[in-house]
Amino acid sequence: MFKTDTAPQPAAPQGTITRRGIFALAGASAALAASPASARGFGTGFTHNVASGEPQADSVLLWTRFVADAATTLDWQVSETEDFAKVVAEGQVEAAPARDFCVKATAGGLSPNRWYFYRFVAPGGAMSPVGRTRTLPEGPTDRFRMAVFSCSNFGFGYFNAYAHAAEANEFDLAVHLGDYIYEYGSDTYPSAGQRHPERVALPGEEIVQLADYRLRYATYRADPDLQRIHQVLPMIAVWDDHESTNDSWKDGAQNHQPETEGDWDVRKSVAKQVYREWMPVSDKSYATYDIGDLATLFRLDTRLEGREEQFSLARVLEGQDDPQKMMAALAAFRDGDYAEPGRQLLGAAQESWLVDGLAASKARGAQWQVLVQQVLIGKLRSPPNLIELVGDGVPDFARTRLMAAGMASRAELPLNMDAWDGYPAARNRLFEGALKADANLIVLAGDTHNAWAFDLGHEGERVGVEFGTSSVSSPGFESYLSMVPPSDMARFVADANPELQWADTSQRGYMMVELTPERATTEWRFIAGIRQRSTQLAGTKRATSEAGSNVLTI
């Protein structure tokens, strides 16, 4: 059950694109890869390649950045062929300092389910790199493949997961579930000892102000592998907390100190603004995408739109040192504030929109209802005896945390209050809506840096399945529970959680998610490492869910 499959990968199906073509177009990539970010500027002209996103059956959003001395009007073109012999859509857009010279244009009037090429042209004739994008299918659809990513921390190492997915050349869409950037200073996360010597994200301090966020995105988007995945695939992206700051919610964040960092609403507004400048995304907080009659994707905001403040078990146990009194405090919390029936994660408006959308998706005949969102929805508790399982040699601060996690588990409380687990009433309402709609529910999740496969249930009924992706580069359980072999850790956690069917707690990578009318398949792809540039895989693992079953086969 927990053994990682290391069988060779089948050959990737090839589309009309050739390696001589789009995969040789990003001429700046080699130069970018040759020097650390801290040793180069971002220049003028087309500084950060191209990107596309927000695909629909007849339109797609195009992005680039063009730096000049003043606002500049750019032409954009979309073509059916790589040589632009047949331009099918075109227009103009202005690159201006007010948006950090980033531009976005929506190309409409396109045909469904086909590849297009696009580019931007400056007044003097300078051209951006050529990008490739794809519209969504319409009507009967036999197959759709997504590359799903999360948690890409620049400082820990290279973005080899992006590189592998681009090289595989077998996807219709890229999906990013958040933590696309991280806000910390250069010696915080990663620490100076953990950081890759050639991966220093600018600025060196924690990002708080407008210019800070812009420079951090400029650093990340200069990465050649991140540029390449954007260049060859449209992306649907959601923000999680680190695009603003750690453990954020609608009215604050764990890593925001108003007394030194100013008003939270200002910082949140800046974070949203810069994300929308630098990413190929719309300004809508949540949206739907129809994959023909095969699926509806629901892009959610579980972070800033309506989330109430996270509970803290440390606060529940504050001042307690007697085990009996600690257990009593946890039980009182479990039956009191934790169970509060009106507690919100999505916010009332988004929650109502989603529940109505699930029903509408089924009514139009879509086979799958897929949540593109940030945090785990499956129920996950710590092994109650984890402190005994890890053995000796655990630092005192870690032992205290592990003991608290074990006590919470015995009190039937979850491991992570920042996930849906911290908002059980909101999860119940969503699951009830999915059951009422008779949805084939698939939940995609990131955030944890580890890989997960959950069967989802509610009051004895099967609700759906969840696929949780490992991270692109951020470390997982292996970084702070290194005394436990990863295979043992996965087994301990699975044994403590009946809904959890499989886990990997030590590898980086991404997910391939394939939808067909008959089944949903996920393949976790684990890269061989992040300290060197490489697209070598260390192994894979597959799980499927047959349509109508709401259960996984692994």
Side-chain angles (χ1 to χ4, degrees):
M1 181 176 177
F2 300 101
K3 185 177 183 294
T4 300
D5 181 4
T6 56
Q9 292 299 293
Q14 296 296 310
T16 57
I17 199 66
T18 65
R19 290 189 181 276
R20 183 202 59 77
I22 196 75
F23 289 95
L25 282 172
S29 293
L32 285 167
S35 61
S38 59
R40 60 179 183 266
F42 301 108
T44 58
F46 292 104
T47 62
H48 284 79
N49 211 308
V50 294
S52 68
E54 299 296 334
Q56 299 291 342
D58 61 354
S59 67
V60 69
L61 185 149
L62 311 176
W63 180 98
T64 195
R65 183 171 186 257
F66 185 84
V67 177
D69 292 335
T72 304
T73 299
L74 305 177
D75 295 313
W76 58 264
Q77 301 173 328
V78 177
S79 173
E80 294 179 353
T81 58
E82 196 175 343
D83 61 5
F84 286 82
K86 185 179 180 181
V87 173
V88 297
E90 57 188 334
Q92 292 186 322
V93 67
E94 185 180 70
R99 291 189 62 83
D100 204 16
F101 297 99
C102 298
V103 300
K104 295 191 289 190
T106 298
L110 306 179
S111 298
N113 199 33
R114 70 167 301 153
W115 291 106
Y116 287 97
F117 302 91
Y118 64 97
R119 68 186 179 189
F120 293 83
V121 184
M127 293 186 183
S128 72
V130 173
R132 183 185 71 166
T133 192
R134 187 175 179 86
T135 51
L136 298 182
E138 195 172 63
T141 304
D142 293 332
R143 191 185 81 159
F144 193 80
R145 273 195 170 191
M146 298 176 284
V148 181
F149 306 99
S150 179
C151 301
S152 39
N153 188 308
F154 188 90
F156 278 104
Y158 293 111
F159 293 158
N160 292 333
Y162 297 145
H164 185 276
E167 186 179 89
N169 192 24
E170 61 181 357
F171 297 103
D172 302 296
L173 178 70
V175 173
H176 204 292
L177 300 179
D179 294 344
Y180 182 96
I181 67 161
Y182 281 72
E183 83 281 11
Y184 296 112
S186 59
D187 290 340
T188 302
Y189 185 73
S191 67
Q194 295 171 316
R195 188 181 66 240
H196 192 290
E198 295 183 356
R199 304 280 287 180
V200 181
L202 303 176
E205 305 78 29
E206 181 181 337
I207 56 175
V208 177
Q209 307 298 331
L210 177 66
D212 301 338
Y213 279 90
R214 284 173 165 173
L215 183 54
R216 186 63 56 88
Y217 276 94
T219 303
Y220 273 66
R221 290 293 300 275
D223 180 273
D225 297 315
L226 180 50
Q227 285 193 11
R228 182 58 54 83
I229 199 69
H230 275 302
Q231 187 185 9
V232 300
L233 287 174
M235 179 179 283
I236 292 174
V238 298
W239 57 47
D240 196 14
D241 52 341
H242 293 291
E243 288 88 347
S244 52
T245 192
N246 185 56
D247 285 359
S248 50
W249 53 291
K250 63 185 178 69
D251 294 324
Q254 177 275 330
N255 193 31
H256 180 77
Q257 292 73 46
E259 62 277 10
T260 57
E261 295 172 329
D263 184 80
W264 166 247
D265 284 338
V266 172
R267 186 175 185 179
K268 181 172 73 169
S269 177
V270 163
K272 287 183 173 183
Q273 174 187 330
V274 178
Y275 182 85
R276 289 167 172 163
E277 288 172 351
W278 276 87
M279 296 291 288
V281 297
S282 76
D283 289 349
K284 295 180 180 179
S285 294
Y286 41 92
T288 59
Y289 310 83
D290 291 335
I291 313 299
D293 66 354
L294 186 60
T296 304
L297 308 184
F298 297 87
R299 172 171 62 81
L300 306 183
D301 181 351
T302 67
R303 183 55 64 181
L304 298 177
E305 182 70 17
R307 177 191 280 256
E308 297 181 42
E309 185 176 7
Q310 299 90 333
F311 287 129
S312 167
L313 292 180
R315 285 199 290 269
V316 172
L317 296 173
E318 190 172 10
Q320 303 283 355
D321 54 11
D322 177 78
Q324 273 192 312
K325 291 182 179 179
M326 293 170 75
M327 287 299 296
L330 289 169
F333 165 69
R334 178 198 63 214
D335 298 335
D337 290 347
Y338 180 68
E340 200 279 310
R343 187 160 163 77
Q344 292 286 349
L345 180 65
L346 299 175
Q350 184 181 191
E351 183 179 286
S352 177
W353 166 87
L354 174 58
V355 170
D356 290 346
L358 294 173
S361 175
K362 286 295 290 187
R364 75 172 183 86
Q367 181 71 296
W368 301 97
Q369 290 68 48
V370 183
L371 306 191
V372 176
Q373 57 93 61
Q374 298 85 342
V375 293
L376 284 180
I377 201 168
K379 299 178 180 69
L380 187 66
R381 295 178 186 165
S382 167
N385 59 338
L386 184 59
I387 190 67
E388 301 164 21
L389 296 172
V390 299
D392 298 329
V394 180
D396 289 343
F397 78 91
R399 181 170 294 276
T400 300
R401 293 179 183 177
L402 293 174
M403 187 178 299
M407 294 182 73
S409 181
R410 289 192 291 275
E412 300 181 345
L413 288 167
L415 177 65
N416 182 10
M417 288 290 179
D418 189 55
W420 282 87
D421 259 341
Y423 302 80
R427 179 172 56 197
N428 289 343
R429 293 192 298 270
L430 170 56
F431 283 178
E432 288 161 5
L435 288 168
K436 185 177 180 180
D438 192 28
N440 272 326
L441 186 68
I442 299 173
V443 180
L444 305 181
D447 181 60
T448 68
H449 311 171
N450 301 288
W452 312 93
F454 282 93
D455 287 335
L456 304 175
H458 178 64
E459 296 185 351
E461 295 189 74
R462 294 174 176 173
V463 179
V465 299
E466 180 172 37
F467 301 132
T469 184
S470 56
S471 63
V472 171
S473 61
S474 303
F477 279 0
E478 81 287 349
S479 67
Y480 49 91
L481 290 175
S482 58
M483 69 292 295
V484 183
S487 59
D488 290 348
M489 177 56 65
R491 177 166 51 84
F492 296 155
V493 175
D495 288 347
N497 294 280
E499 290 188 353
L500 180 62
Q501 303 304 302
W502 174 83
D504 181 279
T505 63
S506 65
Q507 299 187 85
R508 315 281 69 78
Y510 72 104
M511 292 191 304
M512 181 283 293
V513 177
E514 179 183 88
L515 304 177
T516 70
E518 297 77 28
R519 66 187 55 84
T521 301
T522 284
E523 181 174 83
W524 289 268
R525 296 178 174 178
F526 300 113
I527 58 173
I530 61 173
R531 302 299 285 185
Q532 304 292 330
R533 290 188 185 277
S534 171
T535 56
Q536 181 180 352
L537 290 183
T540 64
K541 181 72 177 181
R542 280 198 168 217
T544 61
S545 181
E546 301 297 317
S549 72
N550 286 331
V551 67
L552 288 169
T553 301
I554 297 183

